[in-house]
């Protein structure tokens, strides 16, 4: 008893000490090259007039091998003799500064940061300026927190894996199933995070595109990402899985790529020299570092048994092109690997040089960041009203209206009572999804709606799992029976779909369908169904029910989700979001194995293929679906009917009949054309509208049924028209990937689609 009491007391004291330390540390950022110390500031690696490469070489020259390996891991060791403090590389900022990585935390000084919608909802806005605007706010808040010692400078976001299978628990983190949308999202968000202005290669913060590559199975029926071998054809790799990474590196100039846990065709990605040194560093010319997942080096040794001993695992990953290990594996085993001759010290030098250069571009070796650009940012710049307004705006832009028989928008004036029902009706934490940070504040759906009309709230089930005994049907139906209008908010949360948890069913969880039907039956007024989720659901029963007047999908809408929902339901904002993924019928989950990576259908076995580009079956809702409160009409202003490919003299296709020509070479030079479209708001309400330009190529090389060439979001007043111009680069945009992974331009007739509009374009030699 006495012992225990003393233990408690000791703990209280310990907590108090830690707390004081936190507060003290929280005032000061970590940095090297302190200008007030003449010894330190005189080092060559601190000399800001030199290039980053020269400074990195100077630093490297001062280190022993034992010291060098301390720079291979996320918890970078301190080197007091050179005035270099410990640095934690792992911070996250998927949709706002997050506390998930150990490099960032909140304190009384900065208790929260702006929490934007999960990327799957932001992607639904199809607005590339928004992707960038969010990145800019997040990096501003990150720098502000860095200046008071609460955040790192290296953020392992965004997640740009293709959302290939609707069951994937991490689909919510991604920009969806389309390679072009994912590419534009990656470039926009990364540029917003990284761009320091001034045009040089300085970084505001360093972003990281992950998880490279073909990673999209977490834990499905016992198949775990740690041991899963993704069997992927070269064709699918090059036209589905790689494009977002390629754009992220080449167009987004990202400072980092993370290799994944899974294997691709038998090799762990972090030990695949072709994928790392060959593609990322060689073909795409990454200016930055390649980092492992946490800890995929350990995983390839201990779980996959890919190497016989840990030294071989250290050697093969570093030699393949890995620069930094999230985990401690390389700090433990690299010296022994070098001593055993499995790895040369110069490989270690290459890796840490890549890491040093990124830290130099971030200003880590420039002394106190409060005296540098961004140095004036601090707690006052986090959760500002304009940042929080952007979180609300992002949710408004993303929310997708899937059905509306005329009940929406609601008139706040004529509604005396609203029943707000469902396990997500008063969701707060659920709205911010995963890889979250503490938000500035929450506006739940109930609070957002309640700010406009009188509400009666009934959860209907005690949680989203909605098992039979958690159902509270009679209270829910009674509320609906006596209200002028019913809003049902159902869907998922992290107990249903998350990292390390894929779904096995596409139906609403547990008894949610029964809740929806019973409430819809009992409602006196119109019923609005709101689905809050990352992944899609088969809600055919609601789509076809004449008791349900409207359906919306709100993703995980972030801290201001409830306010954004109310803005849309009451018509203060005209919805314009479009689905970034296909909504499959529930039977898809019974027929198709999640581990089957093939994108293309196989009619001989009834395999339906995946995503709108290839899938041949029925859908509940299709990629790109989404309604507005107004109508938009398209007409074609100009597009060519014929495009001639000028092949060099002597090209085989002058004499032979070719189905396609290479999408590279002289004939690609300036082979492009413009498509001009007129878009008119033909309804009575101003609104935003995404113009999608799709193309259906000739059916060679098992080409996609159609693919997105471009999208552009416009905002139009009632009656207003505008012209949207797309520049189509034939070799880049119209090409398809053949069976061997080569880009080819198919000859013959390509059909361009915009809405209901079709235009045939003939491509010939
Ligand atoms: C300056 O830095 C060096 C190297 O870290 C350290 O040994 C020395 O104590 C520092 N001097 C002062 C006055 O802090
Ligand atoms: C709704 O959720 C908020 C935030 O969690 C909470 O403060 C409030 O009490 C909840 N309202 C009801 C009616 O349960
Ligand atoms: C809804 O009403 C219909 C007939 O009006 C009935 O067949 C059905 O069982 C009801 N559904 C629920 C869930 O109460
Ligand atoms: C795209 O997003 C930006 C940033 O929020 C906004 O200013 C712009 O109006 C949006 N564009 C359209 C067409 O909605």
């Amino acid at each position: 008893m006495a012992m225990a009491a003393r233990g408690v007391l000791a703990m209280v004291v310990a907590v108090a000490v830690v707390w004081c330390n936190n507060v003290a540390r929280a005032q000061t950022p970590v940095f090297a090259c302190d200008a007030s110390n003449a010894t330190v500031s005189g080092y060559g690696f601190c000399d800001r007039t030199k290039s980053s490469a020269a400074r990195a070489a100077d630093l490297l020259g001062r280190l022993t091998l034992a010291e060098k390996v301390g720079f291979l891991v996320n918890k970078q060791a301190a080197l007091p003799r050179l005035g270099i403090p410990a640095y934690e590389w792992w911070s996250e900022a998927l949709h706002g500064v997050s506390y998930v990585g150990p490099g960032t935390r909140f304190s009384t000084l900065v208790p929260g940061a702006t929490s934007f919608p999960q990327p799957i909802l932001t992607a639904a806005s199809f607005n590339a300026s928004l992707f960038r605007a969010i990145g800019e706010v997040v990096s501003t808040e990150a720098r502000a927190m860095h200046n008071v010692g609460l955040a790192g400078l290296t953020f392992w976001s965004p997640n740009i894996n293709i959302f290939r299978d609707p069951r994937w628990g991490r689909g919510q983190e991604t920009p969806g199933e389309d390679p072009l949308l994912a590419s534009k999202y990656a470039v926009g968000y990364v540029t917003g995070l990284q761009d320091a202005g001034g045009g040089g290669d300085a970084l505001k913060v360093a972003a990281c595109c992950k998880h490279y590559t073909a990673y999209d199975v977490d834990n499905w029926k016992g198949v775990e990402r740690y041991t899963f071998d993704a069997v992927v054809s070269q064709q699918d790799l090059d036209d589905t899985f790689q494009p977002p990474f390629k754009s992220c590196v080449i167009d987004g100039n990202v400072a980092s790529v993370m290799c994944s846990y899974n294997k691709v065709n038998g090799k762990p990605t972090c030990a695949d020299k072709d994928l790392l040194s060959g593609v990322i560093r060689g073909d795409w010319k990454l200016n930055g570092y390649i980092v492992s997942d946490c800890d995929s080096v350990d995983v390839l040794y201990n779980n996959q048994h890919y190497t016989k001993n840990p030294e071989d695992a250290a050697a093969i990953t570093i030699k393949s092109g890995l620069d930094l290990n999230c985990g401690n594996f390389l700090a433990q085993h690299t010296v022994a690997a070098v001593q055993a001759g499995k790895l040369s010290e110069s490989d270690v030098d290459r890796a840490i040089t890549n890491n040093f250069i990124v830290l130099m571009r971030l200003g880590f070796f420039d002394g106190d960041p409060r005296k540098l650009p961004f140095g004036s940012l601090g707690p006052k710049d986090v959760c500002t009203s304009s940042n929080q307004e952007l979180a609300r705006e992002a949710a408004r832009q993303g929310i997708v209206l899937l059905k509306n028989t005329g009940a929406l928008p609601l008139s706040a004036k004529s509604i005396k009572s609203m029943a707000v029902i469902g396990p997500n009706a008063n969701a707060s934490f659920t709205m911010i999804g995963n890889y979250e940070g503490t938000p500035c504040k929450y506006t739940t759906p109930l609070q957002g709606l309640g700010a406009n009309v009188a509400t009666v709230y009934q959860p209907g089930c005690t949680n989203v799992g909605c098992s039979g005994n958690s159902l509270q049907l009679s209270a829910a139906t009674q509320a609906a029976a006596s209200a002028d209008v019913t809003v049902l908010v159902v869907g998922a949360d992290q107990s249903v779909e998350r990292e390390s948890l894929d779904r096995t069913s596409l139906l609403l969880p547990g008894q949610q369908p029964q809740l929806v039907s019973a409430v819809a039956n009992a409602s006196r007024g119109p019923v609005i169904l709101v689905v809050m989720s990352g992944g899609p659901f088969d809600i055919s029963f609601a789509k076809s029910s004449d008791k349900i007047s409207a359906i919306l999908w709100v993703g995980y809408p972030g801290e201001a989700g409830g306010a954004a929902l109310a803005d849309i339901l009451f018509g203060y904002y005209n919805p314009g979001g479009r689905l970034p993924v296909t909504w499959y019928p529930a039977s898809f989950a019974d027929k198709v194995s999640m581990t089957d990576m093939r994108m293309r259908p196989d009619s001989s076995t009834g395999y339906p293929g995946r995503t709108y580009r290839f899938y041949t079956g029925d859908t509940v809702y299709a990629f790109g679906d989404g309604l507005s409160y107004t109508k938009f009409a398209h007409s074609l202003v100009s597009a060519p009917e014929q495009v001639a490919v000028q092949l060099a003299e002597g090209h085989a296709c002058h004499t032979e009949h070719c189905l396609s020509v290479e999408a590279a070479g002289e004939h690609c030079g300036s082979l492009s054309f413009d498509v001009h479209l007129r878009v008119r708001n033909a309804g009575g309400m101003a609104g935003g509208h995404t113009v999608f330009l799709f193309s259906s190529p000739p059916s060679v090389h098992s080409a996609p049924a159609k693919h997105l060439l471009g999208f552009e979001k416009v905002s139009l007043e009632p009656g207003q028209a505008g012209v949207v111009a797309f520049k189509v680069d034939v070799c880049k945009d119209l090409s398809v990937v053949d069976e061997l992974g080569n880009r080819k331009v198919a000859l013959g007739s390509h059909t361009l689609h915009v809405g209901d509009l079709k235009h045939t374009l003939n491509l010939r030699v």
Side-chain angles (χ1 to χ4, degrees):
M1 199 56 200
M3 287 281 291
R6 217 166 49 212
V8 168
L9 193 67
M11 234 169 68
V12 169
V13 172
V15 167
V17 168
V18 168
W19 186 80
C20 288
N21 278 345
N22 271 346
V23 170
R25 267 195 294 130
Q27 315 290 326
T28 348
V30 290
F31 58 90
C33 301
D34 185 354
S36 68
N37 179 323
T39 316
V40 164
S41 62
Y43 295 138
F45 66 83
C46 295
D47 182 350
R48 294 171 63 188
T49 65
K50 289 193 179 137
S51 70
S52 299
R55 295 169 71 185
D58 177 87
L59 175 54
L60 191 70
R62 297 172 188 270
L63 304 177
T64 65
L65 177 61
E67 286 170 341
K68 286 176 183 174
V69 302
F71 292 95
L72 286 171
V73 291
N74 65 298
K75 281 193 190 316
Q76 180 179 299
L79 203 55
R81 73 173 181 89
L82 295 177
I84 301 173
Y87 175 72
E88 174 54 75
W89 282 79
W90 182 5
S91 287
E92 302 274 353
L94 181 68
H95 55 109
V97 181
S98 165
Y99 48 56
V100 170
T104 297
R105 68 209 154 80
F106 294 93
S107 77
T108 48
L109 204 54
V110 182
T114 308
S115 189
F116 291 91
Q118 278 288 54
I120 192 71
L121 188 72
T122 295
S125 74
F126 283 89
N127 180 352
S129 330
L130 178 67
F131 307 158
R132 180 169 178 158
I134 294 174
E136 284 170 7
V137 166
V138 173
S139 56
T140 295
E141 295 196 348
R143 269 285 173 179
M145 289 177 68
H146 176 71
N147 287 341
V148 291
L150 291 172
L153 293 166
T154 43
F155 290 83
W156 293 344
S157 310
N159 178 345
I160 55 161
N161 289 116
I162 293 294
F163 194 171
R164 173 190 60 93
D165 189 292
R167 292 163 284 191
W168 189 28
R170 302 188 76 175
Q172 57 181 303
E173 299 173 31
T174 75
E177 72 182 26
D178 179 63
L180 179 79
L181 173 60
S183 296
K184 297 230 180 208
Y185 179 82
V187 173
Y189 192 63
V190 165
T191 308
L193 286 179
Q194 293 193 160
D195 189 7
D201 81 344
L203 293 163
K204 189 175 176 192
V205 302
C208 172
C209 280
K210 68 189 186 185
H211 314 76
Y212 182 81
T213 187
Y215 164 57
D216 53 26
V217 172
D218 261 60
N219 184 350
W220 178 78
K221 297 190 176 172
V223 179
E224 288 214 66
R225 56 181 175 171
Y226 305 114
T227 44
F228 178 58
D229 182 14
V231 177
V232 183
S233 70
Q234 196 62 46
Q235 186 173 34
D236 286 341
L237 192 65
D238 285 335
D239 86 350
T240 294
F241 300 106
Q242 297 289 70
F245 289 98
K246 183 176 182 182
S247 298
C248 180
V249 174
I250 295 178
D251 305 321
N253 197 15
V254 77
S256 174
V257 174
M258 177 183 287
C259 48
S260 54
Y261 289 116
N262 59 289
K263 298 189 225 180
V264 173
N265 299 328
K267 273 193 189 172
T269 57
C270 294
D272 191 324
K273 191 168 189 169
D274 295 331
L275 282 177
L276 304 189
S277 299
V279 176
I280 305 179
R281 186 79 57 194
D283 299 346
W284 301 343
K285 314 246 174 314
L286 172 72
N287 177 20
Y289 68 102
I290 300 177
V291 60
S292 76
D293 208 330
C294 310
D295 175 343
S296 45
V297 185
D298 188 287
V299 159
L300 74 89
Y301 173 64
N302 278 309
N303 300 59
Q304 299 175 355
H305 312 294
Y306 188 68
T307 62
K308 286 206 189 63
N309 53 58
E311 294 76 30
D312 283 336
I316 195 171
T317 51
I318 297 173
K319 284 200 289 195
S320 296
L322 188 71
D323 302 310
L324 188 77
N325 172 209
C326 178
N328 201 38
F329 197 93
L330 292 186
Q332 285 174 303
H333 301 293
T334 304
V335 171
V338 173
Q339 283 165 352
K342 294 174 191 291
L343 178 68
S344 71
E345 191 164 342
S346 64
D347 292 313
V348 176
D349 293 349
R350 179 225 71 221
I352 62 175
T353 296
N354 286 332
N355 302 339
F356 289 153
I357 290 176
V358 169
L359 288 179
M360 279 163 188
R361 293 166 62 198
L362 285 161
F364 182 81
F365 288 101
D366 292 349
D368 192 332
R370 291 166 296 188
K371 298 185 178 138
L372 296 170
F374 307 113
S376 65
L377 294 173
K380 66 177 189 325
D381 300 293
V382 184
C383 288
T384 61
S385 55
S386 73
N387 294 357
Q388 292 196 62
E389 181 54 29
L390 188 64
R392 181 171 177 167
E393 170 66 13
R396 282 193 290 238
Q397 287 197 31
I399 290 173
V400 182
L401 178 64
L402 291 168
K403 173 179 178 179
N404 183 16
T405 57
L408 294 181
L410 302 169
S411 154
K413 272 196 218 107
S414 57
I415 294 169
K416 300 245 165 349
S417 66
M418 172 185 273
V420 185
I421 298 173
N424 278 336
N426 195 30
S428 50
F429 188 62
T430 296
M431 293 196 299
I432 62 173
N434 66 351
Y435 283 83
E436 75 286 4
T438 309
C440 313
K441 65 164 197 200
Y442 290 110
T443 306
T444 73
L446 179 63
Q447 290 164 343
L449 297 166
N452 292 272
V453 293
T455 55
V456 178
Y457 165 61
Q458 282 298 332
C461 306
T462 49
N463 54 46
V464 293
C466 205
S467 64
N469 43 21
S470 78
L471 206 55
Q472 301 160 345
L473 265 192
S474 66
T477 51
Q478 273 167 31
S482 51
D484 292 339
V485 57
T486 297
V487 177
L488 265 161
V489 191
V490 300
D493 67 12
Q494 304 297 308
S495 71
V496 173
E497 48 172 358
R498 65 162 188 273
E499 183 166 18
S500 296
L501 180 66
D502 302 318
R503 286 186 288 162
T504 51
S505 163
L506 297 179
L507 295 173
L508 287 172
Q511 304 291 304
Q512 285 192 33
Q514 286 76 354
L515 173 69
V516 172
S517 300
V519 166
N521 262 6
S523 286
R524 185 156 62 82
V527 177
I528 320 294
L529 178 67
V530 177
V531 180
M532 185 181 290
S533 69
F537 283 99
D538 179 346
I539 49 164
S540 330
F541 77 98
K543 182 182 180 186
S544 62
S545 164
D546 53 17
K547 299 248 166 61
I548 296 177
S549 306
I551 303 177
L552 297 100
W553 173 71
V554 300
Y556 292 119
E559 63 170 52
L565 176 65
D567 291 339
I568 287 174
L569 295 190
F570 292 108
Y572 305 128
Y573 186 88
N574 190 351
R578 304 292 199 93
L579 291 182
V581 289
T582 304
W583 286 38
Y584 302 87
S587 59
F588 181 91
D590 308 325
K591 274 202 299 240
V592 177
S593 164
M594 192 174 170
T595 57
D596 191 329
M597 299 294 290
R598 289 174 300 162
M599 296 302 296
R600 288 159 166 82
D602 179 353
S603 54
S604 69
T605 59
Y607 181 70
R610 293 167 175 283
T611 78
Y612 81 90
R613 288 158 65 233
F614 300 105
Y615 175 66
T616 51
D618 295 331
T619 59
V620 178
Y621 287 108
F623 175 87
D625 275 359
L627 305 169
S628 166
Y629 295 151
T630 187
K631 291 235 167 324
F632 293 95
H634 303 108
S635 55
L636 188 67
V637 177
S638 67
E641 284 174 2
Q642 298 270 348
V643 173
V645 184
Q646 308 282 343
L647 295 177
E649 232 175 281
H651 192 287
C653 296
H654 280 303
T655 46
E656 284 168 36
H657 174 69
C658 292
L659 295 175
S660 63
V661 296
E662 317 77 58
E666 258 175 60
H667 58 269
C668 284
S670 56
L671 193 57
S672 65
F673 58 86
D674 293 325
V675 176
H676 288 135
L677 294 151
R678 186 166 174 274
V679 190
R680 194 169 69 87
N681 183 344
M685 190 172 178
H689 174 64
T690 300
V691 182
F692 290 107
L693 178 63
F694 287 104
S695 157
S696 293
S699 54
V700 293
H701 305 308
S702 351
K706 64 172 186 174
H707 62 144
L708 192 57
L709 302 190
F711 59 84
E712 196 63 51
K713 195 163 196 180
V714 292
S715 181
L716 294 170
E717 296 296 318
Q720 194 190 358
V723 171
V724 176
F726 291 98
K727 186 164 202 72
V728 180
D729 176 320
V730 171
C731 288
K732 210 166 145 241
D733 305 322
L734 275 193
S735 58
V736 297
V737 173
D738 76 5
E739 293 76 358
L740 301 173
N742 303 308
R743 281 216 162 256
K744 292 282 176 67
V745 179
L747 299 171
S749 123
H750 295 247
T751 308
L752 303 180
H753 322 229
V754 179
D756 298 332
L757 210 73
K758 281 190 169 45
H759 172 79
T760 304
L761 174 105
N762 199 27
L763 212 67
R764 57 180 179 78
V765 172

